[in-house]
Amino acid sequence: FVSSKGPEFDLIKVVEIKPEPLFEVIPGRRKDLVLKISAVSDTIKYEIDTSEIEFATTMMFETRVSYVKIKNVSKIRFEYKWNTSLFGSLRTDYAQMMKSPFSVEPSSGFIEPDESATFQIMFSPKEVDDFTSHVICEIPQLTNSQKQPEIYVTGRSRRPICHLDLETSDYL
């Protein structure tokens, strides 16, 4: 297969026959065994219950949580990994200096056939701003006609009147 992306993306089929390992037949000990093999083949299919989350105004250093469910409707399990790096900030250059205030738990794993997984989408701002993000669930081996699950997330943060960041103490 020759890829339009360039020669480094070309697929080359390599067939390599490995030699039979050395063995010795012991007379009178040979017996035939029945080997049963089964396989399931399918394409990855999923259902997601939302495509947009708008978090309520959140004070700096606090966390708000929303839940998203993805159901595996195919006959095979699939792997996922959440990507939260595509985000922007409206008022400051926070997006160039800091990591995303949005996160997802669990951030990676597998969803078994006909099972669902519930994910926590969290908003934890460390600066005052209006934030937007495209939180993408990366699923390998999707067909070209399928889109990666994507959630458009927005959140606004505010500064508290007073914030004390104290070390834990056993004083009292």
Side-chain angles (χ1 to χ4, degrees):
F1 171 76
V2 178
S3 173
S4 60
K5 295 181 182 176
E8 64 271 9
F9 293 97
D10 291 352
L11 296 177
I12 301 170
K13 184 176 182 179
V14 177
V15 178
E16 185 178 317
I17 299 174
K18 294 188 177 184
E20 181 88 22
L22 295 175
F23 66 94
E24 182 180 327
V25 177
I26 302 172
R29 301 284 301 215
R30 181 177 175 170
K31 87 174 150 174
D32 291 331
L33 296 174
V34 178
L35 181 61
K36 294 183 181 181
I37 299 175
S38 65
V40 176
S41 177
D42 198 359
T43 56
I44 295 171
K45 296 182 273 301
Y46 64 87
E47 295 172 353
I48 186 167
D49 66 351
T50 189
S51 61
E52 190 170 324
I53 297 172
E54 183 177 345
F55 285 100
T57 300
T58 306
M59 292 295 177
M60 290 171 48
F61 304 107
E62 290 187 351
T63 299
R64 291 212 189 261
V65 178
S66 185
Y67 297 92
V68 172
K69 183 185 279 188
I70 294 181
K71 179 174 174 65
N72 180 354
V73 293
S74 59
K75 301 293 181 204
I76 56 174
R77 82 176 188 164
F78 65 77
E79 182 179 6
Y80 65 85
K81 181 174 188 260
W82 286 95
N83 180 349
T84 59
S85 62
L86 299 171
F87 78 100
S89 52
L90 182 67
R91 302 170 204 264
T92 66
D93 59 353
Y94 182 94
Q96 283 77 39
M97 300 182 317
M98 305 290 279
K99 68 179 204 161
S100 176
F102 301 103
S103 60
V104 182
E105 287 297 325
S107 61
S108 63
F110 294 93
I111 303 177
E112 297 296 328
D114 296 318
E115 296 288 324
S116 296
T118 302
F119 301 95
Q120 292 182 339
I121 312 294
M122 294 175 277
F123 177 51
S124 305
K126 301 210 180 337
E127 187 56 70
V128 174
D129 212 326
D130 293 347
F131 297 97
T132 60
S133 180
H134 288 274
V135 178
I136 300 169
C137 184
E138 297 169 347
I139 301 173
Q141 287 93 30
L142 282 178
T143 62
N144 292 340
S145 63
Q146 294 176 299
K147 283 182 56 181
Q148 303 281 0
E150 182 175 342
I151 304 168
Y152 180 68
V153 185
T154 59
R156 171 180 286 181
S157 63
R158 293 293 170 249
R159 189 177 316 275
I161 294 172
C162 179
H163 175 77
L164 302 174
D165 191 12
L166 303 173
E167 291 182 27
T168 305
S169 172
D170 61 354
Y171 177 71
L172 295 176

